[in-house]
Amino acid sequence: MPRHEIECSKCNSPMQPGYLLEEGHGNERSITAWVEGQPQKSFWMGLRPPQEKLETCTWRCIRCGYLETYAHATA
Ligand SMILES: [Zn+2]
């Protein structure tokens, strides 16, 4: 992954990389993914599995806490 030098768009302070953690059943952890379009509800599974999803990384401003999320295509 290319290295970003990102500044907060609100206060121009440095931002640190991270990700949004999702904790599911039985302490199963995963990274929040980005999915195109609207969520499709499924009777059995809550939401239908998406056609395409992208992993995301989220940067956090060390000063004001602003979050900026990027969705990268997995090559
Ligand atoms: Zn900031």
Side-chain angles (χ1 to χ4, degrees), residues 8-13 61-66:
C8 178
S9 59
K10 307 290 179 190
C11 69
N12 297 322
S13 293
C61 174
I62 61 173
R63 188 165 161 212
C64 73
Y66 179 72

Side-chain angles (χ1 to χ4, degrees), residues 18-61:
Y19 61 92
L20 298 179
L21 177 67
E22 258 181 68
E23 293 192 87
H25 300 289
N27 290 331
E28 184 190 330
R29 296 182 184 88
S30 58
I31 300 169
T32 298
W34 177 87
V35 179
E36 185 180 356
Q38 298 292 313
Q40 302 289 314
K41 285 200 174 144
S42 154
F43 181 76
W44 298 105
M45 292 177 286
L47 287 176
R48 279 185 201 164
Q51 300 278 350
E52 184 195 5
K53 65 175 183 176
L54 298 176
E55 282 193 4
T56 60
C57 69
T58 300
W59 293 71
R60 175 188 171 274
C61 174

